[in-house]
Amino acid sequence: MAKIKKILVANRGEISLRIMRTAREMGIATVAVYSEADRLSPHVLFADEAVCLGPPPSAKSYLLGDKIIAVCVELGVDAIHPGYGFLSENADFARKVQEAGLIFIGPSPEAIEVMGSKLAAKQAVAKYDIPLVPGTEEAISDIPVAKTRAAEIGYPILIKASAGGGGKGMRVVENEAEFEEQMQRAVSEAQSSFGDSAVFIEKYISSPRHIEIQVLGDQQGNILYLFERECSIQRRHQKVIEEAPSAVVSPEMRKAMGEAAVGVAKACDYYGAGTVEFIVDGELNFFFLEMNTRLQVEHPVTEMIIGKDLVREQILIAEGKPLSFTQDDLKINGHSLEVRVYAEDPKNNFLPDIGKLETYKRPQGAGIRVDDGFEEGMDIPIYYDPMIAKLITHAEDRQSAIEKMVRAIEDYKIVGIQTTLDFCKFAITHDAFVSGDFDTKFVENYFSPSVLEQEFSESELELLSALAVEFFTKNKPSGLLKSESISNKESAWRNRLQ
Ligand code: ADP
Ligand code: ADP
Ligand code: MG
């Protein structure tokens, strides 16, 4: 059995730092890689050793698999952790890592390959009796044939890139008249974004929930499910708020979904940590969507409720150790929420916002975890995913986890960049979220930029009232103020406070 002594993390930002922290706790030396844009990043400063890969664009730095492997050989590294994104779901890279005599902290290259193609994945799980979203079983290219299939499935339908990911490569088609144009766009997008033009059709489930199951398997063939994560609050088909457990999953449904997820993992002889994603309709029927063969962004909410460190488990599995616990040992303890703090402007269609973190103060206290990769004064580079941090709370029940999150968001001070924090506070305090009755259409149904204009935190209100008193004192003789001037002042303060 291999003992890992030195790990290189082929990633950046919060996830790189998060992985290295666990490695250090396990007595394992760490090597960071970085691009010229990340020279002074916390993940670089934290590592025992750090190597510059090249200029900022990912293709010239974080995606240079061969260079990363050469660095490992040179520095006597014995294992590579790929994090998420970048090379994490690249089967060729995983294979080359193994061929170089190194350990890839993740599943086998074959499992990555099968699950990396949404179509191959559906075919692989077919014999395990896993419910699938109705759709085509093969890639479609012939437009008349595709139209016939779409009509059989029934509009609205979704055209999806088989190699897609990160919420990209999907097109909703409402009716037959739009079909041809959307199909052509989908094919060319799939080719340009993923280098694979294969697309397929799925029934578009209206107002579904996205609920996924964390799985963990060892190299001896044991596979367990670590319960669910609810990830229905999304924008652009991408998650922004996650929680565990889900407010709608009963113990019976949890067991059924968990066992289905284990079936998916078995279909590709999975080992390591992985996530099986399901879409859930209004009647709580669940359908397999895809499997992500890596550590997921939102893995902390699972860690909080089961009391385990998933990166530690990944490392132990990569060393060849059998899992040290059974399905029956796993229990859900309390409730956990995660909000993703993106450098994005929710008032402007969630477009990325770049700039400097002029003020950056993290919230603190029991039950609060911040996984981030920036410090005050740093710029958010434009080259990568605009996520600044993940803010996670854990409490004894859902309501307390929400209350803790509201307090944590209010205590999080970020000036210089627009972020998703205010949006997240709006979302988690909305009646639909609080009641648990929400779906992936949450943003579309309830959010508009104006809802944020009315939202004030207590500290903002205190400042506003102080300001109003000062304003009244200075402008005494002029009589009553027009409400307009107050609101102008309010927005001026808001701009300064954000
Ligand atoms: P998760 O799937 O872990 O919940 P995301 O869907 O946001 O989280 O994806 C995690 C990261 O991986 C993001 O940076 C996303 O852009 C990236 N990503 C996921 N799949 C792909 C893909 N097929 N191609 C490129 N980037 C991807
Ligand atoms: P990605 O690889 O980009 O993560 P997924 O297949 O996991 O792609 O889908 C991402 C999101 O898109 C889901 O969480 C869901 O919100 C939406 N989605 C995917 N498939 C469907 C479908 N058949 N019907 C409705 N929404 C869907
Ligand atoms: Mg997905």
Side-chain angles (χ1 to χ4, degrees), residues 76-109:
V77 166
D78 30 41
I80 295 183
H81 195 306
Y84 55 71
F86 298 123
L87 296 164
S88 62
E89 289 171 285
N90 184 321
D92 289 339
F93 175 69
R95 202 167 278 128
K96 282 186 185 167
V97 169
Q98 292 184 346
E99 282 164 9
L102 305 167
I103 295 172
F104 180 78
I105 303 177
S108 69

PDB file of all heavy atoms in Angstrom, residues 76-109:
ATOM      1  N   GLY A  76       9.953  15.176  -6.716  1.00  0.00           N
ATOM      2  CA  GLY A  76       9.724  13.975  -5.906  1.00  0.00           C
ATOM      3  C   GLY A  76       8.320  13.909  -5.311  1.00  0.00           C
ATOM      4  O   GLY A  76       8.113  13.395  -4.208  1.00  0.00           O
ATOM      5  N   VAL A  77       7.349  14.406  -6.070  1.00  0.00           N
ATOM      6  CA  VAL A  77       5.938  14.359  -5.632  1.00  0.00           C
ATOM      7  C   VAL A  77       5.419  12.952  -5.884  1.00  0.00           C
ATOM      8  O   VAL A  77       5.754  12.342  -6.899  1.00  0.00           O
ATOM      9  CB  VAL A  77       5.119  15.383  -6.464  1.00  0.00           C
ATOM     10  CG1 VAL A  77       3.630  15.164  -6.310  1.00  0.00           C
ATOM     11  CG2 VAL A  77       5.518  16.805  -6.079  1.00  0.00           C
ATOM     12  N   ASP A  78       4.587  12.399  -4.981  1.00  0.00           N
ATOM     13  CA  ASP A  78       4.040  11.092  -5.331  1.00  0.00           C
ATOM     14  C   ASP A  78       2.558  11.075  -5.690  1.00  0.00           C
ATOM     15  O   ASP A  78       2.064  10.064  -6.177  1.00  0.00           O
ATOM     16  CB  ASP A  78       4.362   9.979  -4.313  1.00  0.00           C
ATOM     17  CG  ASP A  78       4.521  10.473  -2.907  1.00  0.00           C
ATOM     18  OD1 ASP A  78       3.739  11.336  -2.504  1.00  0.00           O
ATOM     19  OD2 ASP A  78       5.440  10.009  -2.227  1.00  0.00           O
ATOM     20  N   ALA A  79       1.830  12.173  -5.488  1.00  0.00           N
ATOM     21  CA  ALA A  79       0.417  12.150  -5.889  1.00  0.00           C
ATOM     22  C   ALA A  79      -0.056  13.533  -6.333  1.00  0.00           C
ATOM     23  O   ALA A  79       0.416  14.552  -5.828  1.00  0.00           O
ATOM     24  CB  ALA A  79      -0.447  11.672  -4.717  1.00  0.00           C
ATOM     25  N   ILE A  80      -0.994  13.540  -7.269  1.00  0.00           N
ATOM     26  CA  ILE A  80      -1.572  14.802  -7.758  1.00  0.00           C
ATOM     27  C   ILE A  80      -3.046  14.853  -7.385  1.00  0.00           C
ATOM     28  O   ILE A  80      -3.795  13.910  -7.659  1.00  0.00           O
ATOM     29  CB  ILE A  80      -1.450  14.912  -9.298  1.00  0.00           C
ATOM     30  CG1 ILE A  80       0.021  14.993  -9.703  1.00  0.00           C
ATOM     31  CG2 ILE A  80      -2.229  16.127  -9.823  1.00  0.00           C
ATOM     32  CD1 ILE A  80       0.245  15.182 -11.201  1.00  0.00           C
ATOM     33  N   HIS A  81      -3.455  15.953  -6.752  1.00  0.00           N
ATOM     34  CA  HIS A  81      -4.891  16.185  -6.527  1.00  0.00           C
ATOM     35  C   HIS A  81      -5.326  17.243  -7.532  1.00  0.00           C
ATOM     36  O   HIS A  81      -4.788  18.343  -7.537  1.00  0.00           O
ATOM     37  CB  HIS A  81      -5.159  16.656  -5.093  1.00  0.00           C
ATOM     38  CG  HIS A  81      -6.606  16.548  -4.717  1.00  0.00           C
ATOM     39  ND1 HIS A  81      -7.612  17.128  -5.466  1.00  0.00           N
ATOM     40  CD2 HIS A  81      -7.228  15.897  -3.704  1.00  0.00           C
ATOM     41  CE1 HIS A  81      -8.782  16.844  -4.913  1.00  0.00           C
ATOM     42  NE2 HIS A  81      -8.587  16.089  -3.845  1.00  0.00           N
ATOM     43  N   PRO A  82      -6.330  16.929  -8.370  1.00  0.00           N
ATOM     44  CA  PRO A  82      -6.719  17.895  -9.416  1.00  0.00           C
ATOM     45  C   PRO A  82      -7.779  18.903  -9.008  1.00  0.00           C
ATOM     46  O   PRO A  82      -8.095  19.795  -9.804  1.00  0.00           O
ATOM     47  CB  PRO A  82      -7.272  16.971 -10.509  1.00  0.00           C
ATOM     48  CG  PRO A  82      -7.932  15.866  -9.731  1.00  0.00           C
ATOM     49  CD  PRO A  82      -7.090  15.664  -8.490  1.00  0.00           C
ATOM     50  N   GLY A  83      -8.357  18.788  -7.792  1.00  0.00           N
ATOM     51  CA  GLY A  83      -9.423  19.725  -7.395  1.00  0.00           C
ATOM     52  C   GLY A  83     -10.649  19.568  -8.276  1.00  0.00           C
ATOM     53  O   GLY A  83     -10.996  18.447  -8.656  1.00  0.00           O
ATOM     54  N   TYR A  84     -11.322  20.702  -8.610  1.00  0.00           N
ATOM     55  CA  TYR A  84     -12.445  20.654  -9.568  1.00  0.00           C
ATOM     56  C   TYR A  84     -12.125  21.592 -10.725  1.00  0.00           C
ATOM     57  O   TYR A  84     -11.261  22.457 -10.619  1.00  0.00           O
ATOM     58  CB  TYR A  84     -13.774  21.009  -8.889  1.00  0.00           C
ATOM     59  CG  TYR A  84     -13.799  22.341  -8.170  1.00  0.00           C
ATOM     60  CD1 TYR A  84     -13.794  23.546  -8.876  1.00  0.00           C
ATOM     61  CD2 TYR A  84     -13.828  22.401  -6.778  1.00  0.00           C
ATOM     62  CE1 TYR A  84     -13.817  24.757  -8.218  1.00  0.00           C
ATOM     63  CE2 TYR A  84     -13.857  23.624  -6.113  1.00  0.00           C
ATOM     64  CZ  TYR A  84     -13.849  24.798  -6.843  1.00  0.00           C
ATOM     65  OH  TYR A  84     -13.865  25.998  -6.191  1.00  0.00           O
ATOM     66  N   GLY A  85     -12.842  21.436 -11.850  1.00  0.00           N
ATOM     67  CA  GLY A  85     -12.531  22.252 -13.029  1.00  0.00           C
ATOM     68  C   GLY A  85     -11.181  21.817 -13.597  1.00  0.00           C
ATOM     69  O   GLY A  85     -10.709  20.701 -13.327  1.00  0.00           O
ATOM     70  N   PHE A  86     -10.548  22.674 -14.390  1.00  0.00           N
ATOM     71  CA  PHE A  86      -9.227  22.413 -14.999  1.00  0.00           C
ATOM     72  C   PHE A  86      -9.048  20.955 -15.451  1.00  0.00           C
ATOM     73  O   PHE A  86      -9.825  20.486 -16.287  1.00  0.00           O
ATOM     74  CB  PHE A  86      -8.107  22.858 -14.044  1.00  0.00           C
ATOM     75  CG  PHE A  86      -8.138  24.344 -13.750  1.00  0.00           C
ATOM     76  CD1 PHE A  86      -8.223  24.816 -12.437  1.00  0.00           C
ATOM     77  CD2 PHE A  86      -8.107  25.285 -14.773  1.00  0.00           C
ATOM     78  CE1 PHE A  86      -8.273  26.187 -12.172  1.00  0.00           C
ATOM     79  CE2 PHE A  86      -8.150  26.657 -14.524  1.00  0.00           C
ATOM     80  CZ  PHE A  86      -8.230  27.101 -13.221  1.00  0.00           C
ATOM     81  N   LEU A  87      -8.067  20.233 -14.878  1.00  0.00           N
ATOM     82  CA  LEU A  87      -7.757  18.889 -15.386  1.00  0.00           C
ATOM     83  C   LEU A  87      -8.488  17.772 -14.638  1.00  0.00           C
ATOM     84  O   LEU A  87      -8.239  16.592 -14.880  1.00  0.00           O
ATOM     85  CB  LEU A  87      -6.242  18.653 -15.273  1.00  0.00           C
ATOM     86  CG  LEU A  87      -5.381  19.579 -16.135  1.00  0.00           C
ATOM     87  CD1 LEU A  87      -3.921  19.547 -15.677  1.00  0.00           C
ATOM     88  CD2 LEU A  87      -5.472  19.185 -17.608  1.00  0.00           C
ATOM     89  N   SER A  88      -9.419  18.163 -13.751  1.00  0.00           N
ATOM     90  CA  SER A  88      -9.987  17.160 -12.847  1.00  0.00           C
ATOM     91  C   SER A  88     -10.793  16.076 -13.558  1.00  0.00           C
ATOM     92  O   SER A  88     -10.896  14.963 -13.066  1.00  0.00           O
ATOM     93  CB  SER A  88     -10.866  17.838 -11.792  1.00  0.00           C
ATOM     94  OG  SER A  88     -11.944  18.511 -12.410  1.00  0.00           O
ATOM     95  N   GLU A  89     -11.385  16.411 -14.707  1.00  0.00           N
ATOM     96  CA  GLU A  89     -12.198  15.395 -15.389  1.00  0.00           C
ATOM     97  C   GLU A  89     -11.600  15.067 -16.752  1.00  0.00           C
ATOM     98  O   GLU A  89     -12.315  14.753 -17.700  1.00  0.00           O
ATOM     99  CB  GLU A  89     -13.643  15.878 -15.494  1.00  0.00           C
ATOM    100  CG  GLU A  89     -14.313  15.874 -14.131  1.00  0.00           C
ATOM    101  CD  GLU A  89     -15.672  16.552 -14.118  1.00  0.00           C
ATOM    102  OE1 GLU A  89     -15.712  17.797 -14.167  1.00  0.00           O
ATOM    103  OE2 GLU A  89     -16.673  15.840 -14.053  1.00  0.00           O
ATOM    104  N   ASN A  90     -10.290  15.130 -16.817  1.00  0.00           N
ATOM    105  CA  ASN A  90      -9.573  14.854 -18.058  1.00  0.00           C
ATOM    106  C   ASN A  90      -8.950  13.460 -17.950  1.00  0.00           C
ATOM    107  O   ASN A  90      -7.943  13.256 -17.265  1.00  0.00           O
ATOM    108  CB  ASN A  90      -8.516  15.958 -18.239  1.00  0.00           C
ATOM    109  CG  ASN A  90      -7.757  15.837 -19.535  1.00  0.00           C
ATOM    110  OD1 ASN A  90      -7.433  14.725 -19.967  1.00  0.00           O
ATOM    111  ND2 ASN A  90      -7.469  16.957 -20.147  1.00  0.00           N
ATOM    112  N   ALA A  91      -9.571  12.485 -18.620  1.00  0.00           N
ATOM    113  CA  ALA A  91      -9.128  11.089 -18.499  1.00  0.00           C
ATOM    114  C   ALA A  91      -7.701  10.899 -19.027  1.00  0.00           C
ATOM    115  O   ALA A  91      -6.914  10.130 -18.450  1.00  0.00           O
ATOM    116  CB  ALA A  91     -10.094  10.173 -19.240  1.00  0.00           C
ATOM    117  N   ASP A  92      -7.346  11.618 -20.096  1.00  0.00           N
ATOM    118  CA  ASP A  92      -5.989  11.476 -20.652  1.00  0.00           C
ATOM    119  C   ASP A  92      -4.950  11.919 -19.634  1.00  0.00           C
ATOM    120  O   ASP A  92      -3.895  11.307 -19.482  1.00  0.00           O
ATOM    121  CB  ASP A  92      -5.819  12.331 -21.919  1.00  0.00           C
ATOM    122  CG  ASP A  92      -6.608  11.746 -23.075  1.00  0.00           C
ATOM    123  OD1 ASP A  92      -6.917  10.534 -23.013  1.00  0.00           O
ATOM    124  OD2 ASP A  92      -6.931  12.503 -24.005  1.00  0.00           O
ATOM    125  N   PHE A  93      -5.264  13.009 -18.938  1.00  0.00           N
ATOM    126  CA  PHE A  93      -4.338  13.497 -17.923  1.00  0.00           C
ATOM    127  C   PHE A  93      -4.190  12.454 -16.816  1.00  0.00           C
ATOM    128  O   PHE A  93      -3.071  12.110 -16.418  1.00  0.00           O
ATOM    129  CB  PHE A  93      -4.824  14.835 -17.355  1.00  0.00           C
ATOM    130  CG  PHE A  93      -3.992  15.353 -16.221  1.00  0.00           C
ATOM    131  CD1 PHE A  93      -2.686  15.799 -16.437  1.00  0.00           C
ATOM    132  CD2 PHE A  93      -4.495  15.386 -14.916  1.00  0.00           C
ATOM    133  CE1 PHE A  93      -1.907  16.261 -15.382  1.00  0.00           C
ATOM    134  CE2 PHE A  93      -3.720  15.846 -13.859  1.00  0.00           C
ATOM    135  CZ  PHE A  93      -2.428  16.284 -14.092  1.00  0.00           C
ATOM    136  N   ALA A  94      -5.312  11.937 -16.330  1.00  0.00           N
ATOM    137  CA  ALA A  94      -5.257  10.942 -15.244  1.00  0.00           C
ATOM    138  C   ALA A  94      -4.408   9.738 -15.667  1.00  0.00           C
ATOM    139  O   ALA A  94      -3.621   9.199 -14.888  1.00  0.00           O
ATOM    140  CB  ALA A  94      -6.672  10.495 -14.884  1.00  0.00           C
ATOM    141  N   ARG A  95      -4.548   9.344 -16.929  1.00  0.00           N
ATOM    142  CA  ARG A  95      -3.794   8.195 -17.453  1.00  0.00           C
ATOM    143  C   ARG A  95      -2.292   8.508 -17.483  1.00  0.00           C
ATOM    144  O   ARG A  95      -1.463   7.712 -17.057  1.00  0.00           O
ATOM    145  CB  ARG A  95      -4.309   7.877 -18.855  1.00  0.00           C
ATOM    146  CG  ARG A  95      -4.035   6.484 -19.312  1.00  0.00           C
ATOM    147  CD  ARG A  95      -4.848   6.145 -20.552  1.00  0.00           C
ATOM    148  NE  ARG A  95      -6.211   5.742 -20.264  1.00  0.00           N
ATOM    149  CZ  ARG A  95      -7.296   6.282 -20.829  1.00  0.00           C
ATOM    150  NH1 ARG A  95      -7.181   7.262 -21.711  1.00  0.00           N
ATOM    151  NH2 ARG A  95      -8.494   5.855 -20.500  1.00  0.00           N
ATOM    152  N   LYS A  96      -1.984   9.714 -17.961  1.00  0.00           N
ATOM    153  CA  LYS A  96      -0.559  10.100 -18.033  1.00  0.00           C
ATOM    154  C   LYS A  96       0.065  10.190 -16.642  1.00  0.00           C
ATOM    155  O   LYS A  96       1.246   9.881 -16.463  1.00  0.00           O
ATOM    156  CB  LYS A  96      -0.422  11.460 -18.729  1.00  0.00           C
ATOM    157  CG  LYS A  96      -0.539  11.372 -20.239  1.00  0.00           C
ATOM    158  CD  LYS A  96      -0.231  12.733 -20.832  1.00  0.00           C
ATOM    159  CE  LYS A  96      -0.448  12.759 -22.328  1.00  0.00           C
ATOM    160  NZ  LYS A  96      -0.450  14.141 -22.842  1.00  0.00           N
ATOM    161  N   VAL A  97      -0.730  10.640 -15.686  1.00  0.00           N
ATOM    162  CA  VAL A  97      -0.236  10.731 -14.304  1.00  0.00           C
ATOM    163  C   VAL A  97       0.168   9.327 -13.849  1.00  0.00           C
ATOM    164  O   VAL A  97       1.266   9.115 -13.312  1.00  0.00           O
ATOM    165  CB  VAL A  97      -1.324  11.331 -13.370  1.00  0.00           C
ATOM    166  CG1 VAL A  97      -0.932  11.188 -11.903  1.00  0.00           C
ATOM    167  CG2 VAL A  97      -1.571  12.793 -13.718  1.00  0.00           C
ATOM    168  N   GLN A  98      -0.704   8.366 -14.108  1.00  0.00           N
ATOM    169  CA  GLN A  98      -0.410   6.987 -13.691  1.00  0.00           C
ATOM    170  C   GLN A  98       0.787   6.428 -14.448  1.00  0.00           C
ATOM    171  O   GLN A  98       1.633   5.745 -13.860  1.00  0.00           O
ATOM    172  CB  GLN A  98      -1.636   6.107 -13.919  1.00  0.00           C
ATOM    173  CG  GLN A  98      -2.781   6.474 -12.989  1.00  0.00           C
ATOM    174  CD  GLN A  98      -3.985   5.552 -13.139  1.00  0.00           C
ATOM    175  OE1 GLN A  98      -4.088   4.790 -14.095  1.00  0.00           O
ATOM    176  NE2 GLN A  98      -4.903   5.637 -12.197  1.00  0.00           N
ATOM    177  N   GLU A  99       0.861   6.739 -15.741  1.00  0.00           N
ATOM    178  CA  GLU A  99       1.986   6.225 -16.549  1.00  0.00           C
ATOM    179  C   GLU A  99       3.325   6.780 -16.070  1.00  0.00           C
ATOM    180  O   GLU A  99       4.359   6.151 -16.237  1.00  0.00           O
ATOM    181  CB  GLU A  99       1.766   6.573 -18.032  1.00  0.00           C
ATOM    182  CG  GLU A  99       0.764   5.632 -18.681  1.00  0.00           C
ATOM    183  CD  GLU A  99       0.212   6.152 -20.012  1.00  0.00           C
ATOM    184  OE1 GLU A  99       0.729   7.182 -20.527  1.00  0.00           O
ATOM    185  OE2 GLU A  99      -0.747   5.538 -20.513  1.00  0.00           O
ATOM    186  N   ALA A 100       3.276   7.982 -15.455  1.00  0.00           N
ATOM    187  CA  ALA A 100       4.510   8.577 -14.935  1.00  0.00           C
ATOM    188  C   ALA A 100       4.855   7.998 -13.562  1.00  0.00           C
ATOM    189  O   ALA A 100       5.798   8.441 -12.903  1.00  0.00           O
ATOM    190  CB  ALA A 100       4.354  10.096 -14.858  1.00  0.00           C
ATOM    191  N   GLY A 101       4.069   7.006 -13.108  1.00  0.00           N
ATOM    192  CA  GLY A 101       4.350   6.370 -11.819  1.00  0.00           C
ATOM    193  C   GLY A 101       3.817   7.161 -10.635  1.00  0.00           C
ATOM    194  O   GLY A 101       4.219   6.940  -9.494  1.00  0.00           O
ATOM    195  N   LEU A 102       2.896   8.105 -10.913  1.00  0.00           N
ATOM    196  CA  LEU A 102       2.336   8.927  -9.841  1.00  0.00           C
ATOM    197  C   LEU A 102       0.912   8.466  -9.529  1.00  0.00           C
ATOM    198  O   LEU A 102       0.279   7.791 -10.340  1.00  0.00           O
ATOM    199  CB  LEU A 102       2.281  10.397 -10.288  1.00  0.00           C
ATOM    200  CG  LEU A 102       3.591  11.026 -10.769  1.00  0.00           C
ATOM    201  CD1 LEU A 102       3.308  12.342 -11.473  1.00  0.00           C
ATOM    202  CD2 LEU A 102       4.532  11.238  -9.590  1.00  0.00           C
ATOM    203  N   ILE A 103       0.421   8.882  -8.358  1.00  0.00           N
ATOM    204  CA  ILE A 103      -0.958   8.550  -7.986  1.00  0.00           C
ATOM    205  C   ILE A 103      -1.865   9.716  -8.367  1.00  0.00           C
ATOM    206  O   ILE A 103      -1.566  10.873  -8.057  1.00  0.00           O
ATOM    207  CB  ILE A 103      -1.055   8.284  -6.459  1.00  0.00           C
ATOM    208  CG1 ILE A 103      -0.248   7.034  -6.092  1.00  0.00           C
ATOM    209  CG2 ILE A 103      -2.515   8.152  -6.017  1.00  0.00           C
ATOM    210  CD1 ILE A 103      -0.116   6.808  -4.595  1.00  0.00           C
ATOM    211  N   PHE A 104      -2.956   9.395  -9.050  1.00  0.00           N
ATOM    212  CA  PHE A 104      -3.971  10.407  -9.351  1.00  0.00           C
ATOM    213  C   PHE A 104      -5.025  10.312  -8.252  1.00  0.00           C
ATOM    214  O   PHE A 104      -5.638   9.255  -8.080  1.00  0.00           O
ATOM    215  CB  PHE A 104      -4.588  10.128 -10.730  1.00  0.00           C
ATOM    216  CG  PHE A 104      -5.646  11.115 -11.141  1.00  0.00           C
ATOM    217  CD1 PHE A 104      -5.292  12.371 -11.625  1.00  0.00           C
ATOM    218  CD2 PHE A 104      -6.997  10.797 -11.041  1.00  0.00           C
ATOM    219  CE1 PHE A 104      -6.271  13.302 -11.997  1.00  0.00           C
ATOM    220  CE2 PHE A 104      -7.978  11.717 -11.410  1.00  0.00           C
ATOM    221  CZ  PHE A 104      -7.611  12.961 -11.891  1.00  0.00           C
ATOM    222  N   ILE A 105      -5.222  11.385  -7.500  1.00  0.00           N
ATOM    223  CA  ILE A 105      -6.195  11.327  -6.400  1.00  0.00           C
ATOM    224  C   ILE A 105      -7.581  11.565  -6.995  1.00  0.00           C
ATOM    225  O   ILE A 105      -8.057  12.689  -7.107  1.00  0.00           O
ATOM    226  CB  ILE A 105      -5.850  12.317  -5.274  1.00  0.00           C
ATOM    227  CG1 ILE A 105      -4.433  12.012  -4.773  1.00  0.00           C
ATOM    228  CG2 ILE A 105      -6.877  12.213  -4.127  1.00  0.00           C
ATOM    229  CD1 ILE A 105      -3.925  12.961  -3.716  1.00  0.00           C
ATOM    230  N   GLY A 106      -8.186  10.460  -7.399  1.00  0.00           N
ATOM    231  CA  GLY A 106      -9.467  10.498  -8.084  1.00  0.00           C
ATOM    232  C   GLY A 106      -9.748   9.111  -8.598  1.00  0.00           C
ATOM    233  O   GLY A 106      -9.017   8.165  -8.291  1.00  0.00           O
ATOM    234  N   PRO A 107     -10.802   8.974  -9.393  1.00  0.00           N
ATOM    235  CA  PRO A 107     -11.167   7.643  -9.901  1.00  0.00           C
ATOM    236  C   PRO A 107     -10.243   7.182 -11.030  1.00  0.00           C
ATOM    237  O   PRO A 107      -9.308   7.895 -11.404  1.00  0.00           O
ATOM    238  CB  PRO A 107     -12.587   7.863 -10.412  1.00  0.00           C
ATOM    239  CG  PRO A 107     -12.619   9.294 -10.807  1.00  0.00           C
ATOM    240  CD  PRO A 107     -11.722  10.025  -9.853  1.00  0.00           C
ATOM    241  N   SER A 108     -10.532   6.015 -11.586  1.00  0.00           N
ATOM    242  CA  SER A 108      -9.714   5.500 -12.687  1.00  0.00           C
ATOM    243  C   SER A 108      -9.969   6.329 -13.940  1.00  0.00           C
ATOM    244  O   SER A 108     -11.051   6.898 -14.105  1.00  0.00           O
ATOM    245  CB  SER A 108     -10.098   4.046 -12.969  1.00  0.00           C
ATOM    246  OG  SER A 108     -11.402   4.013 -13.517  1.00  0.00           O
ATOM    247  N   PRO A 109      -8.989   6.379 -14.864  1.00  0.00           N
ATOM    248  CA  PRO A 109      -9.206   7.103 -16.124  1.00  0.00           C
ATOM    249  C   PRO A 109     -10.431   6.567 -16.873  1.00  0.00           C
ATOM    250  O   PRO A 109     -11.162   7.340 -17.496  1.00  0.00           O
ATOM    251  CB  PRO A 109      -7.928   6.828 -16.927  1.00  0.00           C
ATOM    252  CG  PRO A 109      -6.899   6.470 -15.907  1.00  0.00           C
ATOM    253  CD  PRO A 109      -7.635   5.831 -14.767  1.00  0.00           C
TER     254      PRO A 109
END
